[in-house]
Amino acid sequence: MKRIAVLTSGGDAPGMNAAIRAVVRTGLAKGWEVLGGRQGYSGLISGDFFPLGSRNVGGIIQRGGTILGSARSPEFETHEGRLKALSQLHRNGIEGLIVIGGNGSQAGAYELSQLRFPVVGIASTIDNDLQGSDITIGVDTALNIALEAIDRLKVTASSLHRAFLVEVMGRKCGYLALMAAIAGGAEAVIIPEIETDPEAVAAELRAAYDRGKPHAIMVVAEGSQYDAEGMAHYFEVHQKRLGFELRVTRLGHVQRGGAPGSFDRLLGTRFGAASTEQLASGEHGVLIGLLKGVIATTPLADVVANKKSLDLGLLELAHLLAH
Ligand code: F6P
């Protein structure tokens, strides 16, 4: 192998730059040329590659986002789009591709590998919903950002004995919300994996006041049956009967834009280094992830075919600890 390319795709995640840096420097150490692909699969289709040297990835390990840019590419979801991308890879003399991203990105990587192109995926998404890695790049930093917000809201909530709702990202997965609720000491948590009864939630918040708490914090995952908007609407309509107001904060993309903490810098670095080793070994079509604390590979076919499950035992723990 002489020349490889690396791209980032889908939602950016803090720690992606650490992974890019490790791919570039370990690839160069193998005597390869390393190209960066701009704007995810869109750039792959248009052949937007540029050479990456060691200095190009200097000073990026501490930066959030991705120096390569990212995109969600509807064209790459079509067979024609993927064939265009494949011909660009061949035209540019690229012999291996590393794809840093989450579910949609790894589904794309799988499709490329089905076209017999050597691809290795790196598990990266703040949602932590990717099969093949217990934790993905960006989760830890995003969680810490959510916690900072919850801690601050608790201060003002306690001063005025108020109830607050904090909505966190996660697409259809409740991992971020559940972990933020446990680590932030929230009184209630709403996740997509469980049906929600807003009356029961209101009762939980009321019970927190009755137990003498000065605040009531509810963490809501954006993909829940009742998201921030739905829950806020319910509380507004029933405010008189429920006896208290609900203030709403949606963290949204704020959660994604932070500078990576040590965990994500190290995870990105380890994944990046492992990905070039994997390409060199000739066994591609796999995702690099962390399983039981160890860097491990999972066939992309398994990654796309299986849904990662959430440990719902932790939901019981969250309820118990809210007392
Ligand atoms: O997958 C990462 C994520 O941040 C999700 O949590 C969120 O639902 C989605 O991306 C938002 O996507 P976009 O940045 O395209 O609005």
Side-chain angles (χ1 to χ4, degrees):
M1 190 159 304
K2 286 197 186 79
R3 180 183 278 183
I4 68 159
V6 55
L7 62 81
T8 48
S9 157
D12 56 302
M16 276 182 160
N17 282 329
I20 295 166
R21 174 177 175 271
V23 166
V24 171
R25 292 193 176 163
T26 58
L28 293 174
K30 290 183 188 308
W32 299 345
E33 247 185 281
V34 184
L35 303 185
R38 288 193 183 92
Q39 307 301 133
Y41 289 123
S42 306
L44 204 55
I45 290 171
S46 60
D48 196 355
F49 301 108
F50 66 106
L52 283 169
S54 203
R55 294 281 61 76
N56 299 113
V57 291
I60 67 167
I61 196 167
Q62 71 274 33
R63 282 164 52 187
T66 159
I67 60 156
L68 297 177
S70 191
R72 302 194 191 278
S73 167
E75 194 180 357
F76 193 76
E77 286 171 24
T78 67
H79 186 63
E80 293 69 35
R82 291 194 288 273
L83 288 181
K84 275 192 210 168
L86 187 65
S87 85
Q88 289 288 7
L89 286 164
H90 290 315
R91 187 176 306 159
N92 285 278
I94 296 163
E95 295 163 285
L97 177 69
I98 291 168
V99 173
I100 306 172
N103 269 312
S105 313
Q106 302 310 336
Y110 170 67
E111 293 297 341
L112 260 186
S113 73
Q114 287 299 95
L115 296 172
R116 301 194 180 286
F117 194 82
V119 188
V120 169
I122 289 182
S124 173
T125 164
I126 66 161
D127 300 337
N128 208 20
D129 59 350
L130 189 61
Q131 180 74 14
S133 198
D134 294 339
I135 188 124
T136 49
I137 294 174
V139 174
D140 185 66
T141 305
L143 194 48
N144 278 315
I145 293 169
L147 284 177
E148 196 186 329
I150 291 169
D151 291 348
R152 288 177 184 208
L153 289 172
K154 231 181 201 181
V155 171
T156 174
S158 297
S159 304
L160 290 139
H161 282 229
R162 275 180 174 157
F164 271 84
L165 178 160
V166 191
E167 187 191 82
V168 301
M169 278 190 161
R171 208 177 284 277
K172 284 285 164 199
C173 174
Y175 181 91
L176 276 179
L178 185 50
M179 296 305 143
I182 293 173
E187 279 61 49
V189 55
I190 313 297
I191 55 175
E193 289 82 354
I194 296 287
E195 244 183 64
T196 309
D197 172 7
E199 278 301 315
V201 177
E204 269 184 283
L205 300 188
R206 165 60 53 210
Y209 285 125
D210 293 345
R211 287 195 300 276
K213 289 200 177 192
H215 58 253
I217 307 281
M218 172 195 331
V219 181
V220 173
E222 64 173 357
S224 303
Q225 180 193 358
Y226 282 88
D227 59 4
E229 209 179 322
M231 197 58 92
H233 179 71
Y234 190 91
F235 270 71
E236 212 176 295
V237 170
H238 300 279
Q239 190 187 317
K240 265 209 178 124
R241 183 172 52 80
L242 296 175
F244 58 90
E245 288 176 56
L246 187 68
R247 294 278 195 284
V248 177
T249 300
R250 287 186 73 192
L251 294 185
H253 293 78
V254 164
Q255 251 178 287
R256 243 172 42 191
S262 60
F263 185 87
D264 284 319
R265 292 185 200 191
L266 293 171
L267 194 66
T269 299
R270 291 173 75 196
F271 282 2
S275 69
T276 52
E277 274 308 307
Q278 197 60 36
L279 267 187
S281 77
E283 279 178 44
H284 21 78
V286 297
L287 177 81
I288 304 287
L290 192 74
L291 295 174
K292 296 190 166 69
V294 175
I295 301 283
T297 57
T298 305
L300 286 168
D302 294 348
V303 172
V304 298
N306 297 299
K307 198 170 175 290
K308 186 171 178 180
S309 60
L310 186 62
D311 178 1
L312 292 177
L314 288 169
L315 186 60
E316 279 172 42
L317 185 63
H319 284 305
L320 184 76
L321 295 178
H323 281 259

